[in-house]
Amino acid sequence: RMPGGSSSGSAVAVASSMASCAVGSDTGGSVRLPAAYCGLVGLKITAGRLPLHGVMPLSQTLDTPGPIAQTVLDCLIMFDLLDGREGWQISQDIEKEDGAYALLKKGISGLRLGSLNEHERQQCSDDVLASYDMALDRFRIMGAEIIAFENPVPYGDMADDNGMITAVEAFHNHGHFYKNPDLPMDEDVRTRMLLGEHYHAHDYFRVLQQRKETIAAYGDAMRGFDALVMPSSTS
């Protein structure tokens, strides 16, 4: 069995009821993956939306803190707390069903949801697609319109760019640890992070610029959609 990572401890603590909620940090899936693997709700926050004070950096460009909890409501409450809202304000909004809490009971009838197109479906295992299609069928029954989303950049290409940014910035932050063979460390992680030493500056800045262009392209492509519904993992 595998709980996903890298915020595995946070997800396991919530899934085993040792904690009602927990904080993870998501750079390339480390809130979303453990939440999905453990049957929980994980919220990937937009980069820069919440402060990173006190968080040990892996990749300054991509690091984001986020809640892992049993329900969407618990994740929303925890997000508000991380965002600095007072408990009485949150309780008031819940009681009056105000703000974001008003949306929880509205349902999804009438929403336009983007799904994997045929090319991206080929990247997923049969088991993942079976569960994914079951979820889409439930959304249709609940009144949502499901439309194949033609993503302007393949998800695999974005994952590669994410890995390169992470490797460069992680090596900058912690390379002296990774290069010390006497320090106990997962050797797969060590190998992956040492790759950051071999990229050139122009490669790094090219990918940062590409990231900005990709964000803009997705913003345009998503016009008319309320949300995209995608698997958390391909296998």
Side-chain angles (χ1 to χ4, degrees), residues 85-126:
R85 298 196 71 210
E86 296 291 340
W88 66 267
Q89 295 174 308
I90 299 172
S91 296
Q92 189 175 74
D93 281 356
I94 294 174
E95 183 179 347
K96 295 183 177 180
E97 295 185 359
D98 199 8
Y101 298 93
L103 301 175
L104 294 181
K105 294 185 178 180
K106 289 189 67 172
I108 63 171
S109 181
L111 294 185
R112 290 167 57 88
L113 304 179
S115 63
L116 286 173
N117 59 41
E118 283 305 314
H119 172 74
E120 296 294 350
R121 286 178 64 89
Q122 294 174 18
Q123 316 307 314
C124 299
S125 70
D126 291 342

Side-chain angles (χ1 to χ4, degrees), residues 6-209:
S6 57
S7 301
S8 356
S10 297
V12 168
V14 176
S16 61
S17 298
M18 296 194 319
S20 57
C21 55
V23 177
S25 60
D26 196 317
T27 303
S30 297
V31 163
R32 291 161 287 172
L33 289 172
Y37 284 29
C38 293
L40 303 170
V41 181
L43 180 59
K44 166 68 169 73
I45 308 297
T46 301
R49 178 61 180 81
L50 292 177
L52 287 165
H53 305 312
V55 177
M56 180 180 290
L58 178 63
S59 168
Q60 306 76 319
T61 299
L62 302 171
D63 291 344
T64 54
I68 296 175
Q70 293 277 1
T71 67
V72 173
L73 174 60
D74 286 350
C75 261
L76 179 53
I77 293 171
M78 196 170 174
F79 170 76
D80 272 348
L81 290 169
L82 291 170
D83 200 29
R85 298 196 71 210
E86 296 291 340
W88 66 267
Q89 295 174 308
I90 299 172
S91 296
Q92 189 175 74
D93 281 356
I94 294 174
E95 183 179 347
K96 295 183 177 180
E97 295 185 359
D98 199 8
Y101 298 93
L103 301 175
L104 294 181
K105 294 185 178 180
K106 289 189 67 172
I108 63 171
S109 181
L111 294 185
R112 290 167 57 88
L113 304 179
S115 63
L116 286 173
N117 59 41
E118 283 305 314
H119 172 74
E120 296 294 350
R121 286 178 64 89
Q122 294 174 18
Q123 316 307 314
C124 299
S125 70
D126 291 342
D127 287 342
V128 166
L129 288 177
S131 296
Y132 177 65
D133 289 340
M134 186 184 302
L136 293 181
D137 287 341
R138 290 181 180 178
F139 292 150
R140 287 190 186 94
I141 292 171
M142 296 167 69
E145 182 181 4
I146 309 296
I147 305 165
F149 176 69
E150 298 302 326
N151 43 310
V153 179
Y155 299 128
D157 290 356
M158 290 192 292
D160 291 341
D161 289 348
N162 177 290
M164 184 237 188
I165 293 171
T166 301
V168 171
E169 295 182 355
F171 184 80
H172 168 75
N173 293 319
H174 309 295
H176 57 293
F177 293 124
Y178 296 128
K179 293 182 75 170
N180 185 344
D182 295 327
L183 291 178
M185 190 177 298
D186 185 286
E187 291 304 319
D188 290 334
V189 174
R190 190 194 304 272
T191 299
R192 182 158 55 99
M193 293 309 170
L194 285 177
L195 290 173
E197 185 178 20
H198 304 293
Y199 288 109
H200 297 291
H202 63 82
D203 294 323
Y204 172 64
F205 286 108
R206 174 184 55 79
V207 173
L208 289 181
Q209 180 59 37

